[in-house]
Amino acid sequence: MMDMNYFSLTLCEAKKLLQQGEITSVQLTESIFSRIDAVEDKVKSFITLDREGSLVRAEEADRTRRQGRAGELGGLPIGVKDVLCTSNMRTTCGSRILEKFVPPYDATVIDKLNRAGAVIVGKTAMDEFAMGSTNENCAFGVPENPWCPGYVTGGSSGGSAACVSADESLAAIGSDTGGSIRQPASLCGIVGMKPTYGRVSRYGLVAFASSLDQVGPMTKDVSDCALMMNVISGYDKRDSTSINLPVPDYTAALTDDLQGMTVGVPVEYFSEGLDPEVEQVVRSGIDMLKDAGAEIREISLPHTDYCVAVYYLIAPAEASSNLARYDGVRYGYRDMEAETLLDMYQKSRSTGFGDEVKKRILIGTYALSAGYYDAYYKKASQVRTLIREDFTRAFAQCDVIVSPVTPTPAWKIGEKGDDPLALYLSDILTISANLAGIPGMSVPAGFSSEGLPIGIQLQGAHFNEEALLRTAWNIEQRAGIKGRRPELG
Ligand code: GLN
C-alpha cells in the first residue's frame, strides 16, 4: 500500500486494511489530516479540529488492535456534527451563544463511537442549532460544496456532508430534524440515513425540535452506512424516547436483488417545481429497482402539501421551548455590560443568537401563546397525525417509498438568501419522514449537466432500515457512479 492516498478509502476498505495489518490507524489518521491541510481552506467543513487528540486515539487503536481487541470502528477517522456533546471538544451548534461551551459529558452516540474505537477528528460546520438548509446560518463560516466551489453544501449537516465528500474523514455523523442528513448528503453526493425516531439515542444531542430530531450516519457508500448504523443504534435508558428493540446486523441486509419487494412511487412527490434533471435521475433509479426484481407501484400520500406548514409550526414551537435554556446564567455567552437580570437575558440572547434562530423562536412563541395555541400548534399536531396515517396506509401496499430528496441540485451560496419561503419549500420532500417518525435515506444516483450530485430518497416503515439499506445497495450497484469523487486538487 505504498503511495496510496489512504484518505480516499471507504470505512469498510480501511477497516479491512487495518485488520490485515497493511496499514495502521496512525498512518490513516495522518493521511486524513494531510488531506484536511490540503483542502480545508476551500471546503471549510470543520468548526473545531483535534489533530493531537486524534493521533493519540489512533495510537491507542493500533495498540488495542495488536492486543487483538479492536472495536467495530477501531482506528477509523470520523467527523461529528457540532451538535453532539463532546467532553473533550467544544460544542458550538454553529452558534455564538455556545462558542466556548465544552460540555461536561459525552453524548451516547459519541460514547458508542469511542467504545467502538473511532478516531473523532473534529466537529463539523452546521446551520446554527440545525436551523437551515444551506449551512449559511453558521456563525463560524460557510462550508462550500466540494463538487463546485461557491455552491451550498446543503444543511444543516453541511460540514459533515462536505468532509465526507472531500475525503477529510472516512465518515461522519449528522442530525436530521426535517432533512438535515438526507438533503446535504444528496447535494454533496454521499449516503445519508435518518433512522427511525427512537432507533438512535438523542442523549447529548443538543435539542432543536425534540419530537423530530434523530442522529444518523453520513458515509461514502451504503456498506459504510450499515456499519455505522450497527455501532450507533440501540436502546438508551437516558433517552426516554429511545425504543428497546434489538439491533439487527444491518450489513446482512445488503443483498443483491429486490425479489419480493414492492417499491411505492408517490404521485405527490413528482409535482410542479421538480427540476427535470432530478426527475430523470429518480426515474432511471426506479428502472434500476425494477431490474433488481422489485415490483413498482404508484401510491398516494395525500397530505404531502401540508408538511411544510405543519413542520414550520411544530419545529419552531419545540425550538422556542428548547432554546429558552440559553439565558447566559449557567453556560453559554453572557453579556457582561447588562445592569439588571432582565437586561442580561435580553442582551445575551440578542447578541448570542443569529437571525434565523431568533425568527424561529418568535414564530414558536407565537404559535404556543394563549389564544393561538389551538389554531396553530394543536391544529398542526392534528394534521401531523394525518400525515403519519398516510404512511401507515402506504406501507400496507409497499415496503419502500422512492422519491427525489430535494426538488433541485445544489445552488450558489447567497442565491436564496433573501427568500426564506423558497428555502422552507425546498424541504418539502424530506420533512414528512420526521413528522411520521419513519426512517429515510439518501443514496447518490446521478449528476446534473453541471456536474452536481443528485440523490434518491428512500423511506420505509418504522424500524425497517434494513429495507432502505437493501434498496439503496441495489441502486448503488447499478447506478455506475460509485467511487466518483469531486476533483478538489
Ligand atoms: N431545513 C430544515 C430546517 O431548516 C431542516 C433542518 C434539520 O433537519 N435540522 O428546519
Side-chain angles (χ1 to χ4, degrees):
M1 289 286 314
M2 296 279 286
D3 297 333
M4 160 104 194
N5 292 327
Y6 302 137
F7 57 74
S8 65
L9 296 167
T10 66
L11 213 50
C12 290
E13 287 166 353
K15 179 171 173 171
K16 200 159 158 213
L17 293 176
L18 286 166
Q19 280 168 338
Q20 293 168 341
E22 300 267 336
I23 59 171
T24 65
S25 174
V26 169
Q27 286 173 322
L28 187 58
T29 306
E30 278 171 349
S31 167
I32 285 289
F33 276 97
S34 71
R35 177 67 173 173
I36 291 173
D37 289 339
V39 303
E40 178 63 4
D41 272 0
K42 292 183 203 151
V43 188
K44 298 172 279 216
S45 311
F46 290 95
I47 293 176
T48 305
L49 280 163
D50 183 21
R51 189 181 300 251
E52 271 173 40
S54 293
L55 286 166
V56 172
R57 293 275 300 149
E59 277 166 21
E60 227 172 77
D62 286 334
R63 211 168 28 247
T64 316
R65 187 175 294 283
R66 281 195 299 275
Q67 294 163 353
R69 294 186 288 119
E72 276 292 301
L73 299 175
L76 297 166
I78 280 167
V80 172
K81 185 175 181 180
D82 209 14
V83 70
L84 283 147
C85 288
T86 43
S87 57
N88 64 336
M89 258 185 273
R90 66 178 176 152
T91 298
T92 70
C93 282
S95 181
R96 288 265 167 245
I97 214 157
L98 290 179
E99 185 168 5
K100 297 187 181 132
F101 175 61
V102 182
Y105 65 96
D106 283 324
T108 296
V109 167
I110 299 295
D111 206 38
K112 282 176 181 273
L113 291 172
N114 283 334
R115 280 169 202 266
V119 174
I120 298 177
V121 296
K123 306 292 291 288
T124 62
M126 58 182 282
D127 284 303
E128 187 175 4
F129 287 102
M131 297 174 191
S133 309
T134 62
N135 234 290
E136 289 162 293
N137 301 334
C138 180
F140 310 106
V142 182
E144 295 190 29
N145 195 310
W147 291 91
C148 189
Y151 276 63
V152 297
T153 54
S156 63
S157 314
S160 285
C163 80
V164 174
S165 165
D167 291 322
E168 294 177 296
S169 75
L170 299 191
I173 293 287
S175 71
D176 190 312
T177 305
S180 278
I181 287 176
R182 291 160 287 157
Q183 186 254 23
S186 176
L187 301 189
C188 290
I190 63 164
V191 172
M193 172 176 271
K194 179 201 92 73
T196 307
Y197 186 75
R199 174 80 293 184
V200 177
S201 170
R202 290 185 298 109
Y203 181 75
L205 166 71
V206 178
F208 164 8
S210 310
S211 77
L212 303 163
D213 300 338
Q214 259 299 284
V215 179
M218 303 179 77
T219 57
K220 293 182 185 180
D221 68 14
V222 178
S223 325
D224 286 4
C225 182
L227 173 61
M228 292 283 279
M229 282 297 291
N230 287 347
V231 172
I232 64 172
S233 302
Y235 174 66
D236 179 9
K237 64 177 189 317
R238 289 180 296 188
D239 170 3
S240 63
T241 59
S242 104
I243 310 266
N244 199 350
L245 278 177
V247 178
D249 175 7
Y250 289 109
T251 50
L254 311 180
T255 52
D256 262 337
D257 69 75
L258 297 175
Q259 293 300 336
M261 245 167 97
T262 307
V263 174
V265 183
V267 275
E268 294 82 0
Y269 281 44
F270 292 83
S271 58
E272 213 185 315
L274 184 61
D275 180 293
E277 290 189 319
V278 173
E279 170 153 13
Q280 202 217 318
V281 166
V282 178
R283 298 267 179 219
S284 61
I286 295 172
D287 290 339
M288 293 172 213
L289 299 178
K290 214 184 292 172
D291 283 349
E295 187 192 322
I296 312 294
R297 174 178 297 179
E298 194 168 276
I299 59 154
S300 173
L301 297 166
H303 294 93
T304 300
D305 267 358
Y306 299 102
C307 286
V308 174
V310 167
Y311 174 87
Y312 279 98
L313 283 167
I314 291 180
E318 294 185 14
S320 71
S321 162
N322 277 326
L323 271 58
R325 71 189 62 159
Y326 305 104
D327 55 8
V329 176
R330 287 175 55 189
Y331 53 86
Y333 172 77
R334 175 188 295 185
D335 184 288
M336 301 305 280
E337 314 276 275
E339 288 180 359
T340 65
L341 183 63
L342 193 62
D343 198 28
M344 192 277 283
Y345 290 154
Q346 276 173 351
K347 288 196 168 126
S348 303
R349 288 169 68 84
S350 301
T351 315
F353 289 135
D355 287 349
E356 184 64 28
V357 172
K358 285 179 192 158
K359 193 194 304 168
R360 306 251 185 141
I361 293 174
L362 285 173
I363 297 172
T365 306
Y366 183 81
L368 289 176
S369 58
Y372 294 106
Y373 178 91
D374 282 356
Y376 294 111
Y377 185 76
K378 192 169 160 209
K379 187 53 77 186
S381 301
Q382 288 167 332
V383 181
R384 180 178 187 176
T385 303
L386 297 176
I387 292 164
R388 206 182 155 98
E389 287 170 358
D390 278 359
F391 283 102
T392 308
R393 269 191 297 275
F395 290 123
Q397 300 169 53
C398 65
D399 305 290
V400 167
I401 295 173
V402 63
S403 75
V405 185
T406 59
T408 66
W411 54 92
K412 284 200 186 76
I413 292 174
E415 195 176 306
K416 295 191 188 173
D418 50 1
D419 191 354
L421 202 58
L423 278 181
Y424 292 178
L425 282 170
S426 76
D427 295 333
I428 189 159
L429 304 169
T430 47
I431 278 172
S432 40
N434 303 74
L435 291 170
I438 58 170
M441 184 171 181
S442 173
V443 60
F447 288 87
S448 73
S449 46
E450 279 183 279
L452 292 163
I454 295 172
I456 288 184
Q457 177 171 238
L458 305 168
Q459 299 181 86
H462 293 100
F463 294 97
N464 201 4
E465 282 82 2
E466 288 156 291
L468 303 190
L469 288 162
R470 183 174 161 199
T471 312
W473 166 263
N474 277 275
I475 292 176
E476 186 178 77
Q477 299 302 304
R478 288 167 178 79
I481 55 168
K482 189 164 155 23
R484 204 151 128 190
R485 318 292 321 150
E487 279 168 36
L488 266 165

